[in-house]
Amino acid sequence: MLAVSGPVGELLPGAGIVRGSVVVVDGAPGCGVTSLTFELAAAATRLGEWAVVVDPQGTLGGLAAGEVGVALERFALVRDVPVARWATVVAALLDGLSVVIAAVPRSVRAGDAHRLVARARERDAVLVAVGPWPAQAALRLRAEAVTWSAPDHGPGLLGERTARVTVTGRGVAPQAPAEVLARVG
């Protein structure tokens, strides 16, 4: 089990993710998908393990990961992966790292996805598939909405962000969306 602390861990069965499984994270842009994935990377790096993000579009940065609590000395970003090589790159990363977070291209084939599920299981790694995933997954986290509140110390500043997240999958009781609170700045 990969223990996940904090508000995200409270949503997960057993407060963690079973190693050798796939977790799907999705949601509309701006609803907290990136924050959720970085929380999962932070869980691994807090345990002294490595995490990597496969970011084909090159939009994520280490600074944002660090602000969420990812130990940057055990974190990597892989950018500019051609869609035709995406499954091969993700499979290679699953061979050596504990948590692989990968933005899923729309064109990923079901056969490639099934092979990655098997690879994660064989290597006791966690694959976090971000976006539409055409294969089985142990858990699915859906970021549905984000609200912001102002701090007490001044107008025009952001103080807290609350994301509404739904978790479905093995070992998860049917539930209403839960609120995940994160302090900003």
Side-chain angles (χ1 to χ4, degrees), residues 39-172:
E39 287 288 343
L40 300 177
T45 62
R46 273 193 290 272
L47 296 171
E49 300 181 41
W50 276 83
V52 62
V53 172
V54 179
D55 178 23
Q57 298 174 345
T59 59
L60 301 178
L63 180 60
E67 288 177 354
V68 173
V70 175
L72 298 179
E73 65 273 11
R74 289 182 297 282
F75 179 71
L77 282 169
V78 178
R79 293 191 170 140
D80 301 323
V81 175
V83 173
R85 304 288 301 153
W86 180 86
T88 303
V89 169
V90 172
L93 293 168
L94 286 168
D95 285 346
L97 300 171
S98 299
V99 175
V100 176
I101 299 167
V104 180
R106 292 191 183 278
S107 62
V108 70
R109 295 182 307 235
D112 288 336
H114 291 294
R115 283 187 284 283
L116 291 172
V117 169
R119 178 72 59 103
R121 186 173 35 251
E122 290 168 3
R123 303 297 194 257
D124 275 340
V126 174
L127 172 58
V128 179
V130 182
W133 182 247
Q136 66 189 24
L139 294 172
R140 292 183 182 267
L141 284 69
R142 175 142 184 90
E144 297 180 347
V146 170
T147 56
W148 292 90
S149 62
D152 295 334
H153 56 277
L157 301 174
L158 297 176
E160 292 182 344
R161 177 190 60 202
T162 304
R164 190 173 327 138
V165 178
T166 302
V167 180
T168 57
R170 292 183 218 141
V172 178

